[in-house]
Amino acid sequence: MTAPPTARREALPGSQFPLGATVLAGGTNFAVASGVADGMVLCLFDAAGAETQIPLHDYDAGVWHAFVPGAGAGQAYGYRAAGPYDPAHGVRCNPAKLLLDPYARAVSGTVAYGPDVLGYAGGNPDVPSTTDSSASVPRSLVVADEPMRPGNPGHPGSPPHPGGAGHRASLGQGYADMIIYEVHVKGFTMRHPGVPAELRGTYAGLGHPAAIAHLADLGVTAVELLPVHESVPESFLVAEGLTNYWGYNSIGYFAPHQGYSAEVRAGRPGGQVAEFKAMVDALHAAGLEVLLDVVFNHTAEGNQLGQTLCYRGLDNPGYYRLDPGDPRYYFDTTGTGNSLNVGEPVTLQLIMDSLRYWLTEMHVDGFRFDLAATLGRQEGGFEQLSAFFDIVSQDPVVSRAKLIAEPWDVGQMDSYDLGRFPPLWSEWNGKYRDTMRDFWRSHPVGLGEFATRFCGSSDLYGVARRRPTASVNLITVHDGFTLRDLVSYDDKHNEANGESNRDGTSDNRSWNCGAEGPTTDAGVLALRARQSRAMLATLLLSFGIPLLLGGDEMGRTQQGNNNAYCQDNEISWFDWAAADTDLLAFAKRLVAFRRSHPVFRRRRFLVGTETSELRWFTPAGAAMTDGDWSDASALALALYLDGSDDPDRAADGTLLLDDDFLVLVNAWWEPLDFVLPATRPSAEWQVEVDTYDPAFPTGPDLSVPAGGHITVRPRSIVVLGDPSGRTVV
């Protein structure tokens, strides 16, 4: 039975705008959307957990609303939705279930899994449960909006708000200079010796000077945070003593996850909001942009047998895409049991309101959209002209943010949509990842494929007149092996996940370099180090936006676990004491090299006569022919980059002149002699990068004229520079 409230209370009509809980003079306006509920009750909770129910009598355009005098910041609340419970027709209202506000700015408490959080009774999905869930579910918290934060440094390269005065620099320029660092808020600092113990694993920890110093010294320009929306772990993980560490199980799209808050840890619920804002301010002050990995493709409520926490109980057919043939089931393109219904206005508004909130109130700079193909499924199939993409392109705030898609989802004929997103978007380039992994383990991908990916994937983006920065280049990310594990394991080792090593992909395109896992073999260790440096150099020299997995620069390992989503422990946390300092020093030099040379940060694809700036040669110094490109077994080539002809322009119109460069690539397992091709008549080439040796260059300075020879050692890249070309225009 539903527990009786301690009191009932009346309220004033209030306003249907905006949705959520809005603190005003004298009280708080509450507004929640539901197009299927027959009645809505606002439930307020005092510090002892006693519930006061307030029936909402006013309903306008799908929104229930009321103004509650005396309610203010910190008030805990939830909703109960009365109405039809008819799973066969897709509706699941049940007033016995306390529901989170979809627009809650903060959440307190977690889910205690059991029968009371289910909307149905006795294992029969057609029978509504009468058991009250309020003791087993979290509460929404009222949060007051802050005025403009005094002294906020705003975005590093843009106005404090995307919709504010002074427009953001053009997309091509803003993206071209990016080096993204993908990182987990908790894992980055849980073992950091320079972060105070009480701040480790929190927003305050990531905003601490000791944590920021690593990012600033490395030279990356943006952090991409794994999901920070309020999330809850799946019940099967909790039963196994695990959790959803990555956070791809969202339940609140406006609320910073309370588990990453030092304020909440210290007993101050709701403090996560101000703490998150302070972290963003600190990162901005250090010149770092903040991108959020957002999960607008599904929620934590699971399939038709899952728990009722929020959206399902408020408006199941409004928020979720249902099977048109049998609406008791969900149309699942995410592999999680449900998919958000981006063809419905209530869901589109939720997503857009959330994006604007994080940009204008929390001051983040952009987003990476998980399984973003689902967002283009207005009618079921992926469409570049879907309502979501149209709304984003027209929105004066969101359209100016940095927008990055994971361009695929699950289980559909059109689930892989790489290259199909609209012009505003950049995309995680899965073809780049696969090609570079295979190339460096000497698999025959073809030199043409390597060259296309290295130069920004013009086959995917150039035809559509998008920029090279539409390609977010990645070799490793959170999902899969770390770089250290990519060169240390042939097979996944996910036993700790409790699924008998069945979870996680088996297609890793990895190579253990001669021994599986940890080894003391000096030759194997040296080869692994060379492979790591070659792939890091490939990533940071390629056209497009490099995405570096946090920890790869210091040799972080997950002991072969390629699906560590449930490992909130030493498997996932950075081990700062075991950092590979040689690899870190190499990574810093590579990052600095990229940032110093605009020729490696091309803002446009070269066409027509401009293509002479990019010339490809065989190791013998001859121009590549069709026969050379079609040789599937070839693993070596040279690229000439002209730093002065047809250079890009900076925002102020300044020509971005640069040195000339030769990039010599040898993926063979033996050293290879390269003849330096004829480029400029007076070229004198000097070694700038040699991935075979982490302390490049070594020995006396090397200067080689055109026609000279240089040996590129096994599985390595040598970059030669000629500064004399810069003066030729």
Side-chain angles (χ1 to χ4, degrees), residues 2-162:
T2 301
T6 58
R8 293 181 70 86
R9 182 172 163 189
E10 295 298 322
L12 302 176
S15 171
Q16 70 197 77
F17 303 110
L19 290 170
T22 306
V23 178
L24 303 170
T28 297
N29 189 81
F30 294 88
V32 62
S34 174
V36 300
D38 295 333
M40 190 71 62
V41 175
L42 171 66
C43 306
L44 305 182
F45 294 87
D46 65 18
E51 177 180 344
T52 298
Q53 291 190 347
I54 303 176
L56 305 186
H57 300 297
D58 290 279
Y59 178 79
D60 292 287
V63 177
W64 299 85
H65 54 88
F67 178 81
V68 181
Q75 173 68 60
Y77 70 101
Y79 291 103
R80 298 182 186 272
Y85 181 89
D86 186 0
H89 291 88
V91 287
R92 297 173 179 267
C93 297
N94 187 337
K97 307 305 163 184
L98 184 72
L99 307 174
L100 287 168
D101 180 357
Y103 282 69
R105 305 291 181 87
V107 173
S108 180
T110 189
V111 177
Y113 285 104
D116 50 338
V117 301
L118 302 177
Y120 55 91
N124 186 345
D126 291 324
V127 177
S129 168
T130 58
T131 304
D132 183 73
S133 68
S134 61
S136 302
V137 295
R139 310 282 190 259
S140 306
L141 296 179
V142 176
V143 176
D145 288 336
E146 286 185 329
M148 178 64 179
R149 305 203 286 280
N152 172 49
H155 303 168
S158 59
H161 300 291

